[in-house]
Amino acid sequence: MALLALEANRVVPMERLIDAVWEDAPPSTARGQVQICLSSLRRTFTGRDLDSPFETHHSGYLLRVADGQLDVDVFGRLIAEARSIAASGDLAAAAERLRAALALWGGPALAGLPGRIVDAGRKRLEELRTAAIEERIRLDLALGHHEEVIGELIWLIERDRLRERLYALLMVALYRSGRQAEALEIYHAARTAFVDTLGIEPSDELRRLEQGILLGDPELDLSTHRAPTHRAPTHRVYRPAASRPAPHQLPSDTADFIGRADDVAAACAALAPGRVDVRAVPVVCVTGRAGIGKSALAIHVAHRMLAGYPDGQLYASLDATPGLTQQVLRRFLRDLGVDRAEIPGGIDEQAHLYRSRLAGRRVLVVLDGVIDESQVQPLLPGSGSCGVLVTSRSALVALPGAHHIRPRLLGSADGLRLLGRIIGRQRVDAEASTAAGLVALCGGLPLALRIAGARLTAREHWGIGQLLARMRDDRRLLDELEHGSLSVRLSLAGSYRALPDGTRRLLRRLALLDCVQLPAWVAAAVLDTEPAVAEDLLEQLADAQLVEADRAPGGGQPLYRLPALVRVFALERAEVEDTAAVREQSLRRVWATCLYLTGTASRHADGAGGDVPSPMVVDAAVDRLRADPVSWLTAELPTLMAAVHQAARLGWPDPTG
C-alpha cells in the first residue's frame, strides 16, 4: 500500500512490488502473494462500502486517487500556494500556508515500514518536509522573528548535523538577536561536524557568512532582507556583494525558432515554479529523432524560463564518452562554488554534495544529448525548487514522473517559414511551388531544412529548383544535405552506431522494401526470424527514433514505417555492409511470404507454389488471417500491393523467379 501510494496514479510493475516486499530474496510464490495482498486491500475498502481504488494492469497495479485524497498531495499544493503568495510579497500569509502544510505531518513518514524501496520514498518525503521547514524559517527571519526560531533550529541540527543550510539559518538568527559570538560558535560547530564526518570544509557560502558576521556586514541586517510587497523576498539567507555569481551557462536561443507553440507551452507549464506538484524536481524530457530540433526546443524553453530560475542555469552536452557524467558533475560542483580540493572522489558522494548545494535554490539544469537514464540520475537535483530539461534520441521512459515532449516534424507552412527566415522571404515567394517541394523532400526535418537553406545562402546564384533537382536523386540526397559541420548522414550515423548488430541488420533490410507501412510479419520474413523477435527489434528501432510506429485501425497489429531520409541512409549502409546475394535473399523471403499468406487467406491453397516460408515466420500471421481472412486482406492490402509492384519491377512472377 505504501509503495502504491508513493507512486499514486502510476502503474507499479509487479517486479517492483516484489522487490519492495522481499528485496533480494523473493519466494517462488511471490507473485501469488502480491495478488493475495491486493485482494485483501480491495476487501478492506469494499468492506467499508468504499469503491476500491486499486486497478489491475497487465504489468502491475495502480492506486487511483483524486486530487486531495493523499495528504502528501495536499502538502504539495499548500507548499506551491505558499511560494506563489511569497512571490507576491505577502510573507506572513506565505509562512502561515507553510505552517498549515507542516501541520499535516503527525510523525516520521511511513514509520515502521522496512525495505530499501520504501526507505527511499521515506527519505524523499522527509527531505520535502525539511525543505518546507527551512523555507518557513527563512520567511520568519525575513519577518523579524529571529529569536523565535533559534530553539527550533538547534533541535533540527541535533537531528541532522550535516545539513549546512540549518547552520546558516541559525547563524543569521543568532546574529540578528545580538548574539554574534554564539553565531560564530555555530560556524565552528558546523566545521567540526563536516571535517570529522566527511573530511571536507564547509562551503564557500557558509565561510562567507562567517566573515560577514565577523565584519558586521550590513547585508546581514534585517532591513536589507525584508522584501517590499511588490516582489518576492531574496531566496538565499546571505549573499554578500563579493559572492560567486550565479551560473548562466545556456547557449544562445535560436533566432529563427519556428512553431512548436504547444510543445513550448507544455514544457514551460511543467517547469513553472508555481506548479501544484512540488514533491519532486520537475523533469521535462524532449525526445525525438536525429535532426528534429530537440536541442533548439529545449534551449528556447530554458530561455523562456529564466525568470522562474533566478539562481542560475547549468548546461552540459552529454554523449557516450565513458565517465562523462562524472566530469559534468564535477564541473557543476565547481560552478556552484565548491572548491576543486573539496570535491569528493566518488560519484555518489559528489551527487550528494551536488544535491545539497542545490537544495532550496531555483536552478534550471539542461542536459543535452543524453544517451540513457543512467547519465541523468546523478545529475538530478533533490529539491523541487529546481528544474531539469533533458534532450535525447531515446524515450527515457524509466525517469519517474518525467513530462515527455515529442516534437513532430515541421508542417509545410512552418517549413516554408523556416526556409524563408534562412534564405529570405523573397526567394521563397519567387519559387513558391519549388520551395514547397524542397520542404517536402526534407521531410519536415529541421536539420535538413537548415542545411538546404545554408547551401542556398552560400550559393545565391542558385535557384531553389537547382538544389531540389540535385536532391531528387536518392544517390546524392545525403551528400546534398551536408554543409560545414551540419550533416544529416552523420546525425543518423550516431543513432545507427548505438544499435545492436541485429537491429542494424533489420534496418538495412527494411530499407530494401518498397512498402510504406510494414507489419511485424514483414520484418520477420526479411530476417527469417520469429515475429516476436522481429517485433522486439522494431521496437528498438522505434525507441531509437529510426522507425515510426502507428496503431493499426481497429486495434490490429502496429504498423511501422521508415522516414524517407532514414531509408536512404539505411540503403547506403546495406550496399556497404551486405552483399547483393544477401539483399536479394531477403527480398525473396518477403515475396514468398506474401504469396503464401495471400494463398492461405483466399482459401485456394497453403501458399502459391515455389518455396514455402519458414513456419516460424508465418504461423502467427496464419492464425490471425484464418480467423478473419477478409479483415486481414483489407488491413494488409497496401503492403501486399507494394510487394507485387516491387516483384514485377524485379521480374519475379513467383518465389522461385
Side-chain angles (χ1 to χ4, degrees):
M1 179 67 184
L3 187 57
L4 290 171
L6 283 169
E7 302 189 26
N9 296 320
R10 293 198 296 267
V11 176
V12 181
M14 173 67 78
E15 291 73 16
R16 184 165 172 80
L17 290 167
I18 292 172
D19 288 345
V21 178
W22 290 282
E23 296 191 345
D24 298 325
S28 59
T29 58
R31 284 181 171 270
Q33 291 193 48
V34 169
Q35 292 167 352
I36 292 171
C37 288
L38 264 294
S39 297
S40 176
L41 285 171
R42 286 192 174 100
R43 286 196 299 272
T44 300
F45 279 79
T46 56
R48 290 167 172 78
D49 295 326
L50 298 171
D51 292 334
S52 171
F54 303 100
E55 297 179 6
T56 301
H57 292 256
H58 73 279
S59 60
Y61 296 93
L62 176 147
L63 175 66
R64 180 73 64 189
V65 297
D67 289 345
Q69 285 189 303
L70 280 183
D71 50 8
V72 71
D73 288 339
V74 177
F75 175 77
R77 187 179 68 248
L78 289 170
I79 297 297
E81 291 174 359
R83 288 176 177 164
S84 178
I85 294 170
S88 70
D90 192 347
L91 305 190
E96 286 305 314
R97 200 61 55 94
L98 287 169
R99 286 187 176 87
L102 292 165
L104 295 171
W105 291 73
L110 306 174
L113 293 178
R116 61 172 180 261
I117 293 180
V118 173
D119 188 53
R122 177 187 299 109
K123 289 177 179 176
R124 178 174 64 82
L125 293 174
E126 291 293 346
E127 173 64 28
L128 290 172
R129 180 189 191 185
T130 304
I133 292 172
E134 290 176 351
E135 194 163 348
R136 196 220 78 229
I137 291 174
R138 281 199 304 274
L139 292 177
D140 283 343
L141 285 172
L143 291 165
H145 304 317
H146 32 268
E147 294 183 348
E148 291 92 327
V149 301
I150 290 173
E152 182 181 11
L153 284 166
I154 291 172
W155 177 74
L156 290 169
I157 288 172
E158 284 300 318
R159 290 177 56 204
D160 189 351
R161 301 186 66 83
L162 296 177
R163 197 167 183 93
E164 191 174 271
R165 301 190 72 251
L166 293 173
Y167 288 102
L169 291 166
L170 181 54
M171 289 167 67
V172 171
L174 288 168
Y175 177 79
R176 291 183 184 171
S177 300
R179 299 158 66 175
Q180 181 183 24
E182 292 176 68
L184 293 172
E185 287 177 3
I186 293 300
Y187 170 79
H188 292 294
R191 183 180 183 278
T192 299
F194 277 81
V195 171
D196 290 351
T197 306
L198 302 177
I200 62 173
E201 293 284 342
S203 69
D204 290 346
E205 187 172 352
L206 201 64
R207 290 200 295 269
R208 287 194 295 268
L209 178 55
E210 181 212 19
Q211 290 298 310
I213 291 172
L214 282 169
L215 299 172
D217 192 332
E219 181 71 19
L220 285 168
D221 293 341
L222 177 61
S223 60
T224 64
H225 283 261
R226 189 186 299 277
T229 57
H230 63 275
R231 62 181 176 89
T234 181
H235 196 69
R236 295 185 185 176
V237 173
Y238 174 57
R239 188 201 295 268
S243 65
R244 180 188 295 266
H248 297 284
Q249 301 174 352
L250 294 178
S252 63
D253 198 0
T254 303
D256 53 10
F257 188 86
I258 296 293
R260 314 288 198 210
D262 291 343
D263 291 336
V264 171
C268 289
L271 292 168
R275 67 195 183 281
V276 173
D277 184 5
V278 295
R279 293 175 296 171
V281 59
V283 179
V284 172
C285 295
V286 182
T287 58
R289 70 174 66 171
I292 203 165
K294 302 179 294 295
S295 298
L297 173 60
I299 298 303
H300 183 71
V301 169
H303 279 277
R304 290 276 297 268
M305 298 304 300
L306 290 180
Y309 294 92
D311 291 326
Q313 303 84 40
L314 296 169
Y315 172 86
S317 178
L318 292 96
D319 55 31
T321 305
L324 185 59
T325 298
Q326 190 166 9
Q327 293 176 29
V328 170
L329 187 53
R330 292 178 65 87
R331 175 169 69 79
F332 280 179
L333 285 170
R334 293 196 301 272
D335 296 335
L336 292 169
V338 180
D339 291 340
R340 189 184 299 270
E342 296 175 356
I343 298 176
I347 190 169
D348 290 339
E349 292 79 8
Q350 291 171 7
H352 293 159
L353 181 57
Y354 171 69
R355 290 192 288 270
S356 296
R357 275 305 175 106
L358 289 177
R361 298 186 183 184
R362 293 183 179 177
V363 174
L364 182 62
V365 181
V366 182
L367 306 175
D368 195 14
V370 164
I371 300 298
D372 56 34
E373 292 88 349
S374 66
Q375 286 188 304
V376 179
Q377 292 291 354
L379 297 168
L380 290 178
S383 173
S385 61
C386 294
V388 178
L389 254 173
V390 179
T391 74
S392 178
R393 297 178 186 180
S394 302
L396 302 182
V397 293
L399 283 178
H403 187 95
H404 293 275
I405 304 289
R406 298 178 175 87
R408 297 180 178 274
L409 296 166
L410 293 178
S412 177
D414 282 339
L416 287 169
R417 286 176 59 208
L418 177 57
L419 187 62
R421 291 277 187 91
I422 298 170
I423 68 173
R425 188 73 238 177
Q426 290 182 338
R427 289 180 76 180
V428 171
D429 290 342
E431 298 182 73
S433 61
T434 306
L438 180 66
V439 169
L441 195 54
C442 288
L445 193 69
L447 175 62
L449 277 168
R450 288 193 178 280
I451 295 172
R455 298 201 69 194
L456 288 170
T457 301
R459 295 167 174 79
E460 293 187 356
H461 55 285
W462 278 17
I464 299 175
Q466 184 172 351
L467 178 60
L468 180 59
R470 295 166 66 98
M471 290 173 58
R472 280 184 170 144
D473 183 351
D474 281 354
R475 295 168 300 177
R476 295 184 52 85
L477 177 58
L478 296 183
D479 292 330
E480 298 299 330
L481 291 176
E482 288 188 2
H483 184 79
S485 61
L486 298 177
S487 169
V488 171
R489 180 186 283 114
L490 290 178
S491 182
L492 291 170
S495 298
Y496 179 76
R497 286 194 301 268
L499 296 173
D501 288 343
T503 314
R504 290 201 299 264
R505 187 180 307 115
L506 176 60
L507 181 66
R508 298 195 303 269
R509 306 291 168 79
L510 293 179
L512 302 172
L513 303 170
D514 290 347
C515 304
V516 176
Q517 289 185 315
L518 303 159
W521 63 263
V522 171
V526 83
L527 286 182
D528 194 23
T529 189
E530 297 179 9
V533 173
E535 284 182 4
D536 289 342
L537 296 177
L538 283 167
E539 289 302 323
Q540 289 180 24
L541 288 172
D543 290 342
Q545 312 292 334
L546 290 171
V547 303
E548 298 172 346
D550 295 317
R551 292 182 181 178
Q557 297 296 308
L559 296 173
Y560 304 86
R561 64 176 180 272
L562 271 67
L565 293 175
V566 174
R567 183 172 184 268
V568 172
F569 171 82
L571 278 172
E572 285 187 354
R573 300 316 310 161
E575 291 180 2
V576 172
E577 299 182 44
D578 298 324
T579 65
V582 166
R583 299 197 297 271
E584 181 175 340
Q585 288 170 5
S586 297
L587 288 173
R588 285 187 177 276
R589 280 196 300 270
V590 174
W591 180 228
T593 303
C594 288
L595 290 172
Y596 182 86
L597 292 175
T598 51
T600 302
S602 61
R603 304 177 185 271
H604 292 162
D606 281 348
D611 295 337
V612 176
S614 166
M616 68 178 176
V617 173
V618 298
D619 281 352
V622 165
D623 290 341
R624 286 195 297 273
L625 72 86
R626 280 179 173 162
D628 191 349
V630 174
S631 296
W632 185 89
L633 280 169
T634 301
E636 303 294 346
L637 188 59
T639 301
L640 298 172
M641 291 302 298
V644 168
H645 288 301
Q646 186 167 14
R649 178 169 57 81
L650 295 171
W652 295 349
D654 60 57
T656 62

